[in-house]
Amino acid sequence: YCLATACVMSTAILWAFLIGNFCAIVASMDKHPARFRGAMDDLNSMLSESDLDPELCVRVRDYFSHSRNLMRTRDYHELDALMSAGLRGEVAGVVSETWLEKVWYFRSSSKAFMRELSMLMGPLMFAPFETVDAGASLLIIQRGLVMLGGRMLTRGDHVGHEFIVVRDEERVALDAERGVVDSRVSPSALTYVEVLELRQEDLLALFPLFPEEAARVTTASRWLVMKIALLKWAKAKLARERADAQRAPG
């Protein structure tokens, strides 16, 4: 009897050990779902303890439920930091270089410059009906739909190409903090939109290392300033003409 009991207990312990190890292996095969569920649990705890409007809570939960891929991308950026500079540049270039080449003033840039730009880009996400704008930044769409001036922008398209315009006493004085004014309709997210962001300050920091590309981008920024100034002048002139026509006797 004692021998049978010992065998049963040993078998039960062994079985529990095997099941535990099997579950651990399965759980470690993809850690991202577990981290996402943990983030959602933390979010639910935060919302339950806060005095937020129920409709706002629904929107926040919906945003986080769509942020699974964004969280995964940010985890991958942590892996990039473990690579050597050269290898990190090659990987980033494969991922982002094709999209950066769609920006007209980055075309014909050196491979090294494009790799550096790719490494500086970080992920962002916008909710439906939000303005797709991150200040002085270039945004390249990864997922979702954006409406801009009657055009539908999708994966690979970009917004904010005028982010290269820098306030300078030698240039046209503009009123916006970004150094550029575009009175056309702002880009608006139609769905949840994931983008890669390149900030103006990060681009400017590369200029001393890449003088040829810096000269090309500077020329493009001056052309943009001139274009915007001409558009503003034309609109002001048209407004004056309309006002004069309304004041003129019938």
Side-chain angles (χ1 to χ4, degrees):
Y1 179 78
C2 293
L3 180 61
T5 302
C7 291
V8 170
M9 291 183 61
S10 300
T11 304
I13 293 172
L14 179 61
W15 178 252
F17 175 78
L18 293 175
I19 292 297
N21 278 274
F22 176 77
C23 293
I25 292 172
V26 172
S28 63
M29 291 176 64
D30 190 351
K31 66 177 182 179
H32 300 290
R35 293 187 62 175
F36 175 76
R37 289 192 295 270
M40 291 298 295
D41 290 340
D42 292 340
L43 174 67
N44 289 328
S45 298
M46 182 195 75
L47 294 178
S48 64
E49 296 173 3
S50 60
D51 189 22
L52 295 179
D53 181 77
E55 188 272 338
L56 179 58
C57 291
V58 171
R59 287 166 50 202
V60 172
R61 288 192 179 95
D62 191 46
Y63 180 90
F64 270 80
S65 68
H66 284 83
S67 67
R68 185 192 298 263
N69 190 68
L70 179 70
M71 295 173 65
R72 186 185 294 267
T73 302
R74 286 176 174 167
D75 288 342
Y76 292 161
H77 275 255
E78 295 178 5
L79 290 178
D80 291 343
L82 301 177
M83 301 181 189
S84 65
L87 187 60
R88 186 167 66 249
E90 289 186 41
V91 172
V94 171
V95 174
S96 304
E97 187 174 333
T98 301
W99 294 325
L100 283 170
E101 288 178 346
K102 293 184 178 181
V103 183
W104 60 272
Y105 46 76
F106 287 151
R107 293 171 192 158
S108 303
S109 296
S110 66
K111 291 288 185 181
F113 179 72
M114 297 295 276
R115 284 197 297 268
E116 291 293 332
L117 287 183
S118 299
M119 288 190 291
L120 294 173
M121 303 184 76
L124 288 177
M125 191 170 78
F126 297 89
F129 309 114
E130 284 186 343
T131 299
V132 181
D133 187 4
S137 299
L138 173 71
L139 304 178
I140 298 180
I141 300 172
Q142 302 291 285
R143 294 172 182 266
L145 301 175
V146 176
M147 179 64 71
L148 175 60
R151 293 188 299 119
M152 188 78 72
L153 305 182
T154 58
R155 177 180 172 87
D157 293 325
H158 62 273
V159 296
H161 68 277
E162 69 279 3
F163 86 119
I164 59 173
V165 178
V166 182
R167 187 178 294 276
D168 192 313
E169 62 275 8
E170 297 179 353
R171 301 182 184 181
V172 178
L174 300 173
D175 298 329
E177 293 180 359
R178 294 176 67 183
V180 61
V181 171
D182 189 348
S183 59
R184 294 174 296 179
V185 178
S186 298
S188 178
L190 298 180
T191 62
Y192 281 95
V193 175
E194 296 179 23
V195 301
L196 287 177
E197 177 195 20
L198 175 62
R199 299 182 298 175
Q200 182 195 77
E201 59 191 54
D202 293 332
L203 173 65
L204 297 180
L206 289 180
F207 281 2
L209 303 176
F210 298 93
E212 182 177 342
E213 285 78 7
R216 184 182 298 112
V217 173
T218 300
T219 300
S221 70
R222 290 172 177 164
W223 183 87
L224 283 172
V225 170
M226 183 182 301
K227 175 184 175 181
I228 294 167
L230 287 173
L231 286 173
K232 291 178 65 179
W233 173 82
K235 290 177 181 178
K237 185 175 184 296
L238 181 60
R240 288 195 301 269
E241 291 177 351
R242 289 177 176 174
D244 291 342
Q246 291 176 355
R247 288 194 299 267

